[in-house]
Amino acid sequence: FGLRINLEDIERELSPFGSVAVKDLEDKIGIYIENGSREECERCQQHVSQLYRLHPSALSVIAVPQFPRTGSGKIDYGRL
């Protein structure tokens, strides 16, 4: 899309949505919400779309029951 967007900034911006992880999916930005509802995913997509002026199709927002974790307890982004 020709934009430089810091994924950690998106995660901080989305902290009111609960536990959120953001990762680069090459052609989209992947946003994962732990224990998120469909409504939360839609609100999250709308919020990021408006904030960064991105078309909603540039975002993939997915609710997951639980984040995969590394042995040290951090989110395992490679397994998302």
Side-chain angles (χ1 to χ4, degrees):
F1 295 97
L3 300 173
R4 291 183 186 253
I5 298 174
N6 185 312
L7 302 181
E8 289 179 19
D9 288 346
I10 296 174
E11 284 185 357
R12 278 191 293 279
E13 181 66 37
L14 295 177
S15 63
F17 288 90
S19 188
V20 175
V22 180
K23 113 180 208 179
D24 180 7
L25 300 178
E26 293 188 27
D27 62 338
K28 292 185 178 198
I29 296 173
I31 301 171
Y32 300 83
I33 303 175
E34 192 170 45
N35 294 316
S37 66
R38 174 180 275 181
E39 293 79 20
E40 286 175 308
C41 289
E42 290 171 0
R43 284 196 318 268
C44 178
Q45 183 177 34
Q46 186 176 52
H47 179 71
V48 173
S49 177
Q50 290 174 352
L51 183 65
Y52 292 96
R53 296 182 180 164
L54 296 170
H55 192 275
S57 67
L59 307 168
S60 179
V61 183
I62 303 161
V64 294
Q66 186 175 16
F67 289 142
R69 302 278 177 176
T70 64
S72 62
K74 295 182 179 180
I75 296 172
D76 188 345
Y77 288 87
R79 291 180 39 212
L80 277 174

